[in-house]
């Protein structure tokens, strides 16, 4: 059961919104989720709506500014995964989160594979230039509600993956490689309903690796998992990564 994790030399980890809720960042589909409370907010995460409507872009930037990612601090769950890396047991840390808290906690950027992008960078949808959010933030704060690219005038968008956008191929390849390299696959704080992120579990299962799930709610993979843990992530993970 959980011993499969404690005994494993090499572990691949997938994290979702559940690991960051203890840091004050709301999830999307949970009881207090962004989309649960305001279904219209889902339009802000659709690339076609974003490109077509200035109104949606203005609302999205306002939402971004209000999101506590800028001031949020990593919690014991993030720190436990830093410890796993320090022990030399982490093959890769795949995350569906865009908050950058794994890196802020101290996980090596080269081991963190951000499947859905990051809020810390901004993309120009026209010339593909990527700029740090820190360069755009002052413009937003000084009243530019829909900032455009200073080079080409194109639409700017947070470097996160919206509905209708494909995931970064290189990131996906690295995630698959980290999964292949591991003895055990650990899924933390993710409902495992979004693909291709959830498909990493299939990769692990097909290769006969134990799948350990730590999540408050049921997931479609619970039956195939070697162990399912429902206790809070920020207390569970530090315990799990500490060898007895
Ligand atoms: Zn541009």
């Amino acid at each position: 059961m959980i011993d499969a994790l404690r005994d494993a030399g090499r572990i691949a980890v997938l994290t979702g919104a559940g690991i960051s809720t203890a840091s004050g960042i709301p999830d999307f589909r949970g009881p207090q989720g962004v989309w649960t409370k305001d279904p219209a907010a889902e339009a802000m995460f659709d690339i076609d709506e974003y490109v077509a409507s200035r109104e949606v872009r203005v609302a999205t930037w306002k939402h971004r500014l209000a999101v506590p990612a800028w001031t949020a601090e990593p919690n014991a769950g993030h720190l436990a995964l830093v410890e796993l890396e320090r022990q030399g047991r982490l093959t890769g840390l795949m995350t569906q989160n865009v908050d950058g808290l794994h890196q802020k906690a101290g996980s090596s950027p080269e081991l963190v594979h951000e499947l859905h992008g990051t809020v810390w960078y901004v993309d120009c949808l026209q010339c593909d230039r990527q700029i740090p959010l820190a360069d755009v933030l002052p413009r937003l704060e000084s009243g530019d509600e829909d900032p455009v690219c200073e080079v080409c005038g194109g639409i700017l968008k947070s470097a996160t993956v919206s509905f209708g956008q494909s995931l970064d191929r290189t990131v996906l390849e690295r995630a698959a490689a980290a999964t292949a390299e591991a003895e055990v696959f650990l899924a933390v704080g993710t409902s495992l309903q979004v693909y291709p992120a959830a498909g990493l579990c299939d990769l692990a299962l097909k290769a006969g690796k134990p799948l350990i799930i730590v999540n408050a709610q049921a997931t479609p993979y619970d039956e195939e998992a070697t162990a399912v843990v429902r206790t809070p992530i920020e207390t569970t993970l530090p315990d799990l990564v500490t060898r007895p």
Side-chain angles (χ1 to χ4, degrees):
M1 293 241 305
I2 299 299
D3 291 344
L5 191 68
R6 288 209 175 93
D7 296 343
R10 304 284 280 160
I11 301 168
V13 182
L14 169 67
T15 65
I19 196 170
S20 289
T21 47
S23 293
I25 296 180
D27 60 13
F28 294 106
R29 295 185 171 85
Q32 295 301 314
V34 175
W35 297 336
T36 314
K37 292 207 287 194
D38 178 15
E42 219 165 326
M44 296 193 293
F45 299 87
D46 183 295
I47 186 67
D48 295 328
E49 305 240 21
Y50 188 89
V51 170
S53 162
R54 175 181 152 87
E55 202 185 319
V56 169
R57 293 196 294 277
V58 170
T60 306
W61 285 118
K62 275 206 183 108
H63 169 79
R64 286 280 176 227
L65 283 179
V67 160
W70 325 121
T71 51
E73 292 298 329
N75 62 63
H78 298 101
L79 294 171
L81 297 175
V82 178
E83 171 60 19
L84 197 63
E85 177 183 343
R86 199 195 56 79
Q87 294 170 358
R89 298 163 71 204
L90 183 71
T91 63
L93 177 44
M94 285 67 83
T95 185
Q96 296 171 266
N97 299 340
V98 295
D99 53 35
L101 284 181
H102 286 304
Q103 295 93 324
K104 198 169 183 182
S107 289
S108 299
E110 60 270 24
L111 284 182
V112 180
H113 309 304
E114 297 175 302
L115 299 166
H116 296 166
T118 172
V119 294
W120 293 100
Y121 282 86
V122 170
D123 288 329
C124 170
L125 297 182
Q126 187 159 294
C127 72
D128 286 339
R129 202 164 70 100
Q130 190 167 75
I131 39 182
L133 175 81
D135 293 356
V136 180
L137 218 42
R139 293 167 63 190
L140 287 163
E141 283 163 351
S142 64
D144 189 349
E145 291 185 297
D146 178 26
V148 295
C149 175
E150 284 176 317
V151 172
C152 77
I155 292 173
L156 292 183
K157 181 186 162 295
S158 180
T160 52
V161 179
S162 296
F163 294 121
Q165 283 188 298
S166 27
L167 276 67
D168 187 302
R169 220 190 149 99
T170 313
V171 173
L172 275 180
E173 281 168 5
R174 286 184 184 143
T179 304
E181 209 189 306
E183 295 159 36
V184 172
F185 193 89
L186 170 65
V188 181
T190 163
S191 56
L192 297 175
Q193 287 173 18
V194 179
Y195 287 83
L200 293 169
C201 292
D202 293 312
L203 270 186
L205 289 169
K206 263 185 210 147
K209 299 173 197 214
L211 167 66
I212 315 278
I213 295 174
V214 183
N215 196 50
Q217 283 98 29
T219 85
Y221 288 87
D222 287 0
E223 274 188 24
E224 292 174 273
T226 305
V228 178
V229 184
R230 298 265 182 250
T231 47
I233 293 163
E234 61 277 16
T235 52
T236 306
L237 271 196
D239 179 45
L240 282 182
V241 304
T242 312
R243 297 219 207 201

